[in-house]
Amino acid sequence: MSLTLSEFNDLSQEDATAQLLTCCTSTSWAQTLASARPFADIDAMLVANDDAWNKAQTSEANLIEAFDGHPQIGNVDSLKEKYRNTQDSAAHEQSGANDAEDQVLEALAQGNQDYLDKFGFIFIVFATGKSAQQMLDLLLARLPNDRETELANAAAEQNKITRLRIQKLLGAA
């Protein structure tokens, strides 16, 4: 559902929070951003988003809540299904993996499991415009990091994803 900024500003706190939770599943972040209304324009909302996200990420629980809102990339069959179905949806965030070779998808599935096993949360990356190989390369580059570094990396990627989803929610992307 796309809203105008004016419509979003006019929502109740509860409804605005619910709409924001479709962009990022951190309850703390959504409530903080909904409370910052009204916004003069999308840029003001994105600045308020960054502020709300900076507050939310002071708690690891808020970060994990946001990360848990993403589907985990599972086995190779689900990866093939996920990426090849994006051909029907130009707006899909991971469309760069449409034609990924099976080897890359298998390595991506294994890498995602290795990442989850090591850090306790799924690999978060702003996938828009990236091929499966590029996502795999990023995953493999981040896998040697320590957990604190990866929480920060994932938080930064989460905010990029959230900003795009806010723009889509308000028909600005």
Side-chain angles (χ1 to χ4, degrees):
M1 174 181 167
S2 184
L3 298 167
T4 67
L5 183 60
S6 178
E7 290 168 335
F8 179 77
N9 282 336
D10 290 340
L11 292 174
S12 68
Q13 176 73 14
E14 183 180 339
D15 289 344
T17 299
Q19 287 294 324
L20 290 170
L21 286 170
T22 69
C23 301
C24 174
T25 56
S26 167
T27 305
S28 171
W29 164 84
Q31 291 172 342
T32 300
L33 187 55
S35 295
R37 295 171 304 139
F39 301 111
D41 55 35
I42 187 72
D43 291 333
M45 185 174 180
L46 292 173
V47 168
N49 162 71
D50 293 344
D51 291 342
W53 185 241
N54 287 335
K55 288 177 188 157
Q57 64 181 312
T58 60
S59 159
E60 184 175 314
N62 290 336
L63 291 175
I64 300 301
E65 184 181 29
F67 303 160
D68 284 347
H70 294 272
Q72 181 183 352
I73 297 175
N75 64 34
V76 175
D77 290 337
S78 68
L79 274 171
K80 287 179 186 177
E81 187 70 21
K82 176 182 181 115
Y83 289 137
R84 297 211 171 115
N85 282 346
T86 61
Q87 294 169 338
D88 298 331
S89 173
H92 194 281
E93 294 163 2
Q94 296 178 340
S95 59
N98 285 349
D99 300 316
E101 296 200 15
D102 289 349
Q103 275 184 320
V104 173
L105 294 180
E106 289 170 14
L108 196 53
Q110 184 60 54
N112 273 286
Q113 188 59 54
D114 293 345
Y115 187 98
L116 177 63
D117 291 345
K118 180 174 181 178
F119 298 114
F121 55 89
I122 66 166
F123 177 67
I124 305 290
V125 65
F126 182 72
T128 301
K130 291 178 180 67
S131 68
Q133 183 64 58
Q134 289 169 316
M135 287 184 276
L136 176 61
D137 292 346
L138 288 167
L139 188 155
L140 294 175
R142 287 172 47 187
L143 199 52
N145 292 336
D146 61 37
R147 191 166 194 275
E148 185 177 330
T149 300
E150 269 316 290
L151 279 168
N153 285 338
E157 294 298 300
Q158 174 68 55
N159 194 39
K160 291 177 194 175
I161 295 163
T162 301
R163 289 173 62 92
L164 177 63
R165 289 179 178 173
I166 288 169
Q167 292 171 348
K168 286 181 179 180
L169 175 70
L170 299 176

